[in-house]
Amino acid sequence: MTSPGSQHLGVKSGQRPGAFLYQPFSKAWKLAGSREGLVTMAEFSQKQRKQHGGEGLGSVVDFLLANARLVLGVGGAAVLGIATLAVKRLIDRATNPRDEDDTKGDSWKELSLLRATSHPKPQPSPAAFSQPKSPVSPSPSAPVGPTPTHSQTTPKLSSVAPLCLTFQEKLLAFERNHVIVPEAHVTLVKQLAGDIGLELQAYLRSKFSELPFGVLVPSGPLYEGLQAGTAEHVRLLVPLELEPGLWSLVPGMDTVAREPRCWAVRRTQLEFHPRGCSPWDRFLVGGYLSPRVLLELLRKALSASVNWPAIGSLLGCLIWPNVASDELLLKVHHECLEFTLAVLMVVPGASTDDRLLLAWPLEGLASNLWLQDLYPVETARLRALDDQDAGTRRRLLLLLCGVCRGHPVLVRLGWSHLTQVILRLGEEEVAWTEEALGERFLQALEFLVGSLEQASLPCHFNPSVNLLGSFREEEIDDIGYVLYSGLQVPESLF
């Protein structure tokens, strides 16, 4: 049953009243939408919905336009749509940068709609005045004038291309930057080592007054000008003054240990000078002066008895013993540098060529033997060879030490290994001038590779000692590979 109001409006039976109202306005809206402005508006609205993925703002606009058809009619809906589109476009431009593709496609249609209605510019917030302004970039749709020709040219290089250096020049640059120790550091380390030696000597004479220790002498490559990189290691020799005629030396090969590097110090004249006549008799083991017992005595004194904090404060540095090492080591920390001081008890004048015997922590049967130190004779020999022809053997030794100390694999090659290489090559009749330094460097690498292939590097002054005898096969392979690769590209070692 239909009501009179429905019949007056022309509503058919069973038809919803709202549907009749919607149909004329829908037809009118479609008719109005065929106009150019409304078509453009519909296309722009559809494109914005695609760009923003159906966000809330596009949904609100569609809702407003749909209801405006019912309330305002076709004309009012068109005006409201244009106004809403203009505001929405301004908001989008203020929040999102314009896309270049959109500008090319619909810039003229959208601008014709937006120019029809003028809107005031949004006022910036007070916080915007406190931030620096960014330079205004030109609009993509704005015409750009012709660019001068000189602005499109290739920009000038900011720096000059580096020159190609020869291997000799690179080697000398490495020497300047990584090998030479600053003179100020050398002076400071020598001063600290000398002062620590004086303090330790005063302690030994007061603590062990019955033991005739000699004058403590700092030494090492730093004092011979053979320290590479940093002044990080100094030796402090503690001489033992043995009574002449009561002690004799026995080569290590004549002992049970059969160790060619070592010597035994045997007590003699026991029938005329029985045990107890010498203050060193308390350190005898089996009739031989034991370096192991002496090391234990001095280790306890250095770690427990010496007041290193007081000595360090007096000298302006920090000093502490390295109890984790088998050697007698003192760590010295100054505000400018750090170095290690190795305390070595020695028996001086052990043979005619003044070789030193060191109390070294050896293992096994050799624990009661004294290690022969060839450092004094090796450095003396290098100096004599250089003095003959004004050569560069010691400079080459410094370069090799500088390369090895900074490499994680070559660091296993110590000062003694590299010295043997230079002593072997140094006696050959070749040029040892500065101009030939690069050639001698490569020759030393070749000699080392050949020695590693044979796993043999005899000591120059004691050929029965193989300095590579303590290396494992894996270590020899690793060092040999790095050196062989360095022969192909020597600069990779720097």
Side-chain angles (χ1 to χ4, degrees), residues 212-251:
F213 289 105
V215 178
L216 275 62
V217 181
S219 66
L222 183 68
Y223 289 80
E224 303 290 338
L226 296 176
Q227 182 70 48
T230 58
E232 59 185 2
H233 194 79
V234 179
R235 311 192 331 168
L236 184 62
L237 303 182
V238 183
L240 278 60
E241 294 182 350
L242 302 179
E243 300 84 359
L246 297 184
W247 308 91
S248 65
L249 301 178
V250 180

Side-chain angles (χ1 to χ4, degrees), residues 161-167 169-170:
L163 299 176
C164 295
L165 301 178
T166 63
F167 173 69
E169 293 170 338
K170 295 179 181 179

Side-chain angles (χ1 to χ4, degrees), residues 453-467:
E453 289 178 350
Q454 302 175 3
S456 174
L457 182 60
C459 178
H460 185 73
F461 291 100
N462 190 357
S464 60
V465 176
N466 179 18
L467 297 179

Side-chain angles (χ1 to χ4, degrees), residues 174-183 185-186 222 225-233 397-403 405-406:
F174 175 78
E175 180 184 31
R176 290 190 302 269
N177 299 331
H178 301 283
V179 175
I180 298 177
V181 182
E183 189 62 30
H185 289 185
V186 175
L222 183 68
L226 296 176
Q227 182 70 48
T230 58
E232 59 185 2
H233 194 79
L397 176 60
L398 282 172
L399 286 168
L400 292 175
C401 290
V403 168
R405 67 177 295 273

Side-chain angles (χ1 to χ4, degrees), residues 68 86 154 194 227 341 460 481:
T154 304
Q227 182 70 48
L341 189 64
H460 185 73
Y481 174 77

Side-chain angles (χ1 to χ4, degrees), residues 40-296:
T40 304
M41 178 187 66
E43 292 175 357
F44 177 79
S45 177
Q46 184 179 5
K47 182 172 297 185
Q48 290 297 313
R49 286 197 301 271
K50 290 182 180 179
Q51 288 180 355
H52 296 283
E55 295 180 354
L57 186 59
S59 302
V60 171
V61 171
D62 294 340
F63 178 77
L64 291 175
L65 295 178
N67 287 276
R69 300 170 190 173
L70 299 175
V71 179
L72 301 178
V74 177
V79 174
L80 179 61
I82 294 174
T84 305
L85 176 62
V87 174
K88 185 172 179 291
R89 183 58 178 167
L90 289 176
I91 294 175
D92 291 340
R93 286 185 176 181
T95 56
N96 299 321
R98 290 179 58 84
D99 189 65
E100 187 173 335
D101 295 332
D102 296 339
T103 305
K104 293 180 179 179
D106 52 16
S107 59
W108 299 113
K109 294 181 180 180
E110 295 175 5
L111 285 177
S112 62
L113 292 174
L114 296 179
R115 286 172 182 171
T117 307
S118 60
H119 298 277
K121 294 183 180 180
Q123 296 295 328
S125 60
F129 293 100
S130 62
Q131 299 180 357
K133 289 186 176 182
S134 58
V136 180
S137 58
S139 175
S141 60
V144 180
T147 306
T149 307
H150 63 273
S151 63
Q152 299 179 356
T153 58
T154 304
K156 297 182 179 179
L157 296 177
S158 58
S159 60
V160 182
L163 299 176
C164 295
L165 301 178
T166 63
F167 173 69
Q168 174 79 8
E169 293 170 338
K170 295 179 181 179
L171 187 64
L172 295 179
F174 175 78
E175 180 184 31
R176 290 190 302 269
N177 299 331
H178 301 283
V179 175
I180 298 177
V181 182
E183 189 62 30
H185 289 185
V186 175
T187 303
L188 180 58
V189 170
K190 288 183 177 180
Q191 179 182 352
L192 291 175
D195 294 340
I196 294 174
L198 292 176
E199 295 292 336
L200 185 57
Q201 182 173 350
Y203 167 80
L204 293 177
R205 288 181 177 178
S206 63
K207 180 70 174 179
F208 308 104
S209 57
E210 72 282 2
L211 298 178
F213 289 105
V215 178
L216 275 62
V217 181
S219 66
L222 183 68
Y223 289 80
E224 303 290 338
L226 296 176
Q227 182 70 48
T230 58
E232 59 185 2
H233 194 79
V234 179
R235 311 192 331 168
L236 184 62
L237 303 182
V238 183
L240 278 60
E241 294 182 350
L242 302 179
E243 300 84 359
L246 297 184
W247 308 91
S248 65
L249 301 178
V250 180
M253 291 298 294
D254 297 341
T255 63
V256 180
R258 305 289 296 174
E259 178 57 64
R261 302 176 300 162
C262 300
W263 292 74
V265 181
R266 183 172 59 186
R267 176 71 158 84
T268 60
Q269 301 293 329
L270 289 176
E271 61 276 11
F272 301 104
H273 302 279
R275 179 176 292 189
C277 294
S278 172
W280 303 108
D281 288 344
R282 55 186 286 197
F283 305 105
L284 291 179
V285 175
Y288 294 89
L289 183 62
S290 173
R292 178 174 53 85
V293 180
L294 283 167
L295 283 173
E296 289 300 323

Side-chain angles (χ1 to χ4, degrees), residues 321-332:
N322 186 2
V323 296
S325 175
D326 293 334
E327 306 175 41
L328 302 180
L329 301 179
L330 297 176
K331 295 290 186 179
V332 183

